Amino acid sequence: MTDVSTTTPLPLDDTRREMYEAVCAKLDADRFRDLLVDLIGIHSPTGRERAASEFMATHLRDRVGIDARYQPISEHTGNAVGGLHGTGGGSRLLLYAPIDTHIDPDSDVPWVGKSLRPDMIPEAKVDGDLVVGLGASNPKCMVAGLTEVMHAVVDADLPLVGDLAIGFAGGGMPVTMSGRDHVGMSSGVFHMLTHGMVPDHAVVLKPWWAVYPEEPGMCWFKVSVRGTYGYAGISRGTEGFRSSIVPAATVIQEIEAWLPEYTARNTSGSTIPEGWISAVRSGSPDKPAFPSATTEIYLDLRVNPRVTPGDVRHQFAQMIADIGRRHPGVDMDWEMYGSLPGGMTDPDNWIVQSCRRGWEEVEGTPYETTPLLGGQTDGTLIRRLGIPCARIGYPWPPAAAPAELNEGLGGMGVASVTDVMMATRAVAYAVVDTLTRTREELDL
């Protein structure tokens, strides 16, 4: 845990308190759950979000009752955007969540496991307080949760001064889909914000019941271990043949030993920049008789917002050079093939402070510490574009979730209605706290 700056006390006056309670009275857990179930049933893998985004644009317009539209990016992907106008003179606050899921059931077995679990299938199952299905906790309940906040604000008919915007983007997962126009790595939210949706402040809903003023970026590396093309009939020790696969195992172990050192050296603020080897590729399973001349190792290093991708690249280069000195027989080269800098907002910024006050309102205790975090979201890019942003969320994984569904990233497919509705009350607080004031009151 890391200490945070003191939360600025600013109690709601009687009028704002009445408005906040009116919004909370309109929050509807059953309505939230029903939307979440519908969303889970609309498969939206990264690069193929169109159906889900079109559905949400229609829902915002026809069911919630705000101006909303589908914002196309390509034939297969796009965003849902909408807004509610205030009386004028206030700020514009964006409630944001991505809408794409990280698993494609048609192609990701066995990489996600020997078979698909219930939390990996785009079909919702309701079990008491829990909703299970692909993306139930991340990102579908985030989309449904922020929509419920907007719905409650509309139903409460508040005289907001500022404008409340809402947006759900594709391309939010930390991937780059080479077969889908390289969608991913916050491509959707970048399009959203550069095509008319830029706000004064933003709130991102994501897992963890805390308020984050910062998030890491990412650097992706590929290490290629070289050998010679071989044949299974060659005797070991034959001159002129060098395996690429066997020495790659040594390189993998060396990188794995270095990664905790990297994390410890670069941890600060509320960011703990983890790193993991995520893929290894060599040869063809159709040609097991021919050992590959190249074995490729892929990994993701998270980037503290106080450290540049260039500095991370330098640290990686030093590590690879050290491996080469200690293992002179290993022939390897490397490249950084993806990067996104981390982003942070001043913890004393209005929106961070307002979300902390919302957290305190719901939790009933002072906000004192923020857990260290290594997870990246679109909030990183929002901040890098100069927009003050607060990330707030809900407990994850749900305490009542079956243990077998919490292994790995299983919790991304299990959502607690109670937990998310708790978070919606904190977001609603920030909406009332922020949009009932003039821009001058917010130092804009």
Side-chain angles (χ1 to χ4, degrees):
M1 309 281 280
T2 182
D3 290 335
V4 298
S5 60
T6 303
T7 303
T8 302
L10 187 63
L12 298 178
D13 59 25
D14 291 344
T15 299
R16 292 187 176 96
R17 169 62 58 183
E18 183 178 341
M19 294 170 70
Y20 172 63
E21 291 178 354
V23 174
C24 288
K26 296 295 185 179
L27 290 170
D28 188 326
D30 291 339
R31 186 168 61 188
F32 158 76
R33 183 200 59 227
D34 292 346
L35 176 57
L36 175 57
V37 168
D38 288 342
L39 272 173
I40 292 170
I42 304 172
H43 188 32
S44 56
T46 305
R48 293 293 184 272
E49 303 94 343
R50 178 174 178 172
S53 292
E54 287 183 328
F55 170 83
M56 281 310 306
T58 300
H59 183 90
L60 289 170
R61 184 177 60 250
D62 295 348
R63 300 289 296 277
V64 179
I66 64 173
D67 293 331
R69 62 186 175 87
Y70 173 65
Q71 184 185 59
I73 297 176
S74 70
E75 179 184 355
H76 302 292
T77 186
N79 308 322
V81 297
L84 178 67
H85 294 296
T87 58
S91 72
R92 189 186 198 197
L93 173 63
L94 172 66
L95 305 182
Y96 175 78
I99 203 167
D100 54 315
T101 54
H102 65 302
I103 292 176
D104 191 339
D106 295 331
S107 59
D108 283 347
V109 174
W111 317 124
V112 298
K114 291 186 293 184
S115 60
L116 294 171
R117 302 183 332 199
D119 57 322
M120 299 176 179
I121 299 172
E123 178 181 339
K125 297 185 183 301
V126 179
D127 182 9
D129 182 59
L130 298 179
V131 181
V132 179
L134 177 58
S137 178
N138 187 352
K140 299 300 176 74
C141 82
M142 293 139 43
V143 174
L146 292 180
T147 300
E148 184 55 36
V149 172
M150 176 64 87
H151 210 149
V153 170
V154 171
D155 288 350
D157 194 23
L158 303 182
L160 298 178
V161 177
D163 298 340
L164 182 58
I166 193 165
F168 309 121
M173 286 292 169
V175 300
T176 179
M177 303 303 294
S178 58
R180 300 175 185 170
D181 301 319
H182 295 278
V183 171
M185 223 175 193
S186 298
S187 58
V189 73
F190 181 79
H191 183 93
M192 176 186 292
L193 295 175
T194 56
H195 289 75
M197 284 295 290
V198 63
D200 295 300
H201 300 105
V203 172
V204 174
L205 189 61
K206 270 280 185 174
W208 280 286
W209 179 228
V211 180
Y212 287 92
E214 63 181 58
E215 290 170 278
M218 304 174 288
C219 283
W220 295 344
F221 294 94
K222 178 178 76 171
V223 180
S224 298
V225 181
R226 310 294 183 179
T228 57
Y229 195 51
Y231 175 57
I234 296 175
S235 298
R236 279 176 171 72
T238 297
E239 187 175 352
F241 172 70
R242 293 178 293 109
S243 171
S244 70
I245 298 174
V246 175
T250 297
V251 175
I252 288 172
Q253 292 296 327
E254 291 282 4
I255 294 175
E256 180 66 18
W258 172 81
L259 287 172
E261 299 174 9
Y262 167 84
T263 298
R265 182 167 56 251
N266 293 281
T267 295
S268 63
S270 58
T271 299
I272 177 169
E274 301 283 4
W276 283 94
I277 296 171
S278 55
V280 179
R281 185 171 68 178
S282 186
S284 169
D286 294 333
K287 299 179 179 180
F290 300 95
S292 174
T294 300
T295 298
E296 297 171 337
I297 304 163
Y298 297 84
L299 64 154
D300 177 324
L301 285 181
R302 295 301 158 99
V303 181
N304 192 298
R306 297 161 189 81
V307 179
T308 68
D311 186 64
V312 172
R313 187 182 189 279
H314 175 66
Q315 293 182 53
F316 191 81
Q318 289 183 311
M319 179 270 296
I320 291 293
D322 183 59
I323 294 176
R325 284 190 292 270
R326 290 184 290 105
H327 300 279
V330 176
D331 181 9
M332 60 181 167
D333 51 81
W334 63 276
E335 64 176 299
M336 185 171 76
Y337 70 99
S339 63
L340 180 70
M344 58 182 172
T345 300
D346 185 340
D348 291 328
N349 183 272
W350 172 271
I351 196 60
V352 176
Q353 291 290 317
S354 184
C355 283
R356 286 185 188 164
R357 289 192 288 269
W359 188 97
E360 292 179 341
E361 171 74 25
V362 174
E363 189 67 20
T365 59
Y367 191 94
E368 297 179 346
T369 57
T370 301
L372 289 171
L373 181 72
Q376 182 269 345
T377 78
D378 284 338
T380 296
L381 183 62
I382 293 172
R383 294 184 179 95
R384 294 299 300 188
L385 292 175
I387 301 165
C389 179
R391 166 180 172 166
I392 190 169
Y394 39 88
W396 183 86
E404 63 272 16
L405 298 186
N406 281 336
E407 295 179 356
L409 280 180
M412 291 183 76
V414 184
S416 161
V417 173
T418 299
D419 287 349
V420 181
M421 291 304 295
M422 176 179 68
T424 64
R425 297 201 302 275
V427 175
Y429 185 101
V431 169
V432 172
D433 194 26
T434 302
L435 297 185
T436 57
R437 306 176 192 274
T438 64
R439 293 173 61 83
E440 289 75 19
E441 291 179 271
L442 305 179
D443 293 327
L444 291 174

